[in-house]
Amino acid sequence: MKTNGFSFTYKSLSKRATLCLPGHQYHYHSIKDSWKFAKNYPLSTSNLELLRAYILEEIISALWMISECYIVMYMWPNGESREFIITNDGFIVESDKHRQWYSSYPFIHNNHYGETTFDFDPASVRKLDQTFMWLPNTNNYTHFFLDFFGPWTEHLNDSKLLPSGTLITINARPKWQSQLVQSIPSKGELIVNLSPNQLVVYKLKNLIIPVSPSLHKNFYNTRIWCKHKYSSYASFPNLPNELPVVFMARSPNESPRVNNANAIERLVEELSGITIIPSQLTLQQKYEILTKSKVLIGEGSSITNAILMSAQNSRLVILLAQEMLTNPSFVLGGWLYANSLGPNIELVHGYQRISTPLSPLASYTYSITEIKRAVLKP
């Protein structure tokens, strides 16, 4: 299937989709301030330009209904999945910036004229004659919040006005994701079970999809949504009103990203703080702890938790792996959007890199002296 380009702006989608709900247009000054802050990060010129393009992406968002569209579903050998939406007239519903990674997909072909072709047998396309809602499944915590659930959050307060349909996704969702999916007023969920390297294509009668090009705005809206969702209930009634410092560690079952995590835990204990493992807590529990934390220490998806759930005046100490500064795939990770919290951010760079098998990421050692300095900084 030869595509005709990308359709991700309000103007473009208005030509090929029906508007269900307009988005809220606000906080542009916050995005501009965020870009001014991000310019101070130690990034190469090319990566800084890439970041600029994402932070200053169009802020006009909306909830759309696309009729007679295709959904292309694929599972990687490692179990991660990806979905593409293509309109009936051949436009891919996502930012054209994603095209740079299309060459890694065995069924997508780009040519030097800028044309993109999806290679699948038209006879294999299955038709589903009903209305669906778009909320893909991914094991990547930050990616789910940033790209998939985030665009929904500014519409959930208008639930009485939301059109409804059946969610469609690849394979069963992880438990943490299911907690969020319950907030979408759907008519159930169709789970498409895929095997590694499997590709399936459906043609849907209707697809309800929120489109919000600004990732910064998605984080901002999700942060507001978390406050409304979780601030009125207490699952830890005896929790102090303020926690001096909290280290957000990885579960022993996860690939390590910090070589000296035990040393950081000892430092935090000396400073009268606590260590938590966010993946072992519910979203409600995470919110209660993080919103009361004066200083937060973490890396990876822990930074996403901090951005969404910490108090506005808290300090965030980011343990930064070298890949986050050099690899374009990770430069755009959630850690960069921490600047939306304001100036209370400290970066501690890792050293003594240890490769992680079957992963582009690695684990690093972080200076205890530098972490302590960042925590105690006036």
Side-chain angles (χ1 to χ4, degrees), residues 111-349:
N111 64 27
H112 61 279
Y113 297 111
E115 297 171 332
T116 299
T117 300
F118 282 68
D119 186 12
F120 58 83
D121 182 2
S124 68
V125 177
R126 311 171 197 179
K127 190 165 184 178
L128 296 176
D129 194 24
Q130 61 191 100
T131 297
F132 289 91
M133 303 177 81
W134 185 85
L135 186 62
N137 178 7
T138 174
N139 293 325
N140 188 303
Y141 189 82
T142 300
H143 190 35
F144 183 79
F145 269 109
L146 192 66
D147 293 303
F148 302 150
F149 186 73
W152 277 104
T153 54
E154 70 173 318
H155 303 292
L156 294 182
N157 289 335
D158 302 319
S159 58
K160 292 182 179 179
L161 302 176
L162 277 176
S164 187
T166 302
L167 291 167
I168 182 169
T169 189
I170 300 174
N171 294 5
R173 299 181 187 274
K175 185 177 180 180
W176 62 265
Q177 202 176 112
S178 298
Q179 299 173 42
L180 295 163
V181 172
Q182 293 173 5
S183 301
I184 307 292
S186 71
K187 297 179 179 178
E189 185 164 39
L190 172 63
I191 297 175
V192 180
N193 292 307
L194 295 187
S195 302
N197 285 322
Q198 186 178 2
L199 171 73
V200 298
V201 183
Y202 291 98
K203 189 166 189 182
L204 311 179
K205 179 180 179 181
N206 295 303
L207 179 69
I208 301 166
I209 177 171
V211 174
S212 179
S214 172
L215 304 184
H216 191 295
K217 183 179 181 181
N218 293 347
F219 258 135
Y220 184 90
N221 286 330
T222 308
R223 180 177 169 85
I224 294 173
W225 180 85
C226 285
K227 182 177 180 179
H228 287 303
K229 178 73 174 179
Y230 300 119
S231 62
S232 60
Y233 179 78
S235 54
F236 295 129
N238 297 323
L239 196 68
N241 288 330
E242 183 178 271
L243 297 166
V245 57
V246 172
F247 174 41
M248 300 170 287
R250 284 180 175 260
S251 163
N253 298 325
E254 298 177 274
S255 298
R257 295 283 184 262
V258 180
N259 299 331
N260 57 334
N262 290 339
I264 299 175
E265 290 181 26
R266 290 194 294 271
L267 170 65
V268 168
E269 186 176 1
E270 291 171 11
L271 299 174
S272 301
I274 62 172
T275 295
I276 64 171
I277 300 177
S279 63
Q280 296 179 352
L281 300 172
T282 66
L283 292 167
Q284 175 70 47
Q285 292 169 334
K286 281 188 278 193
Y287 182 87
E288 290 177 41
I289 294 173
L290 300 186
T291 197
K292 293 184 176 182
S293 303
K294 187 176 180 181
V295 180
L296 291 159
I297 304 170
E299 50 78 33
S301 59
S302 291
I303 304 306
T304 301
N305 283 318
I307 297 170
L308 298 178
M309 304 180 188
S310 64
Q312 189 66 37
N313 60 349
S314 63
R315 176 177 299 164
L316 178 57
V317 179
I318 299 178
L319 307 179
L320 195 64
Q322 191 62 30
E323 289 89 353
M324 301 301 174
L325 297 171
T326 58
N327 188 325
S329 296
F330 303 125
V331 162
L332 300 173
W335 73 274
L336 283 165
Y337 295 88
N339 54 55
S340 62
L341 297 176
N344 296 323
I345 299 170
E346 298 289 327
L347 303 181
V348 177
H349 298 272

Side-chain angles (χ1 to χ4, degrees), residues 341-371:
L341 297 176
N344 296 323
I345 299 170
E346 298 289 327
L347 303 181
V348 177
H349 298 272
Y351 61 96
Q352 292 182 341
R353 184 182 192 275
I354 299 178
S355 298
T356 302
L358 303 177
S359 173
L361 290 171
S363 60
Y364 287 84
T365 299
Y366 295 89
S367 168
I368 299 301
T369 301
E370 283 297 301
I371 294 174

Side-chain angles (χ1 to χ4, degrees), residues 35 38-41 43-53:
W35 166 236
K39 285 192 292 186
N40 297 321
Y41 286 134
L43 297 168
S44 67
T45 300
S46 59
N47 282 338
L48 196 60
E49 282 303 307
L50 182 64
L51 172 63
R52 180 182 184 277

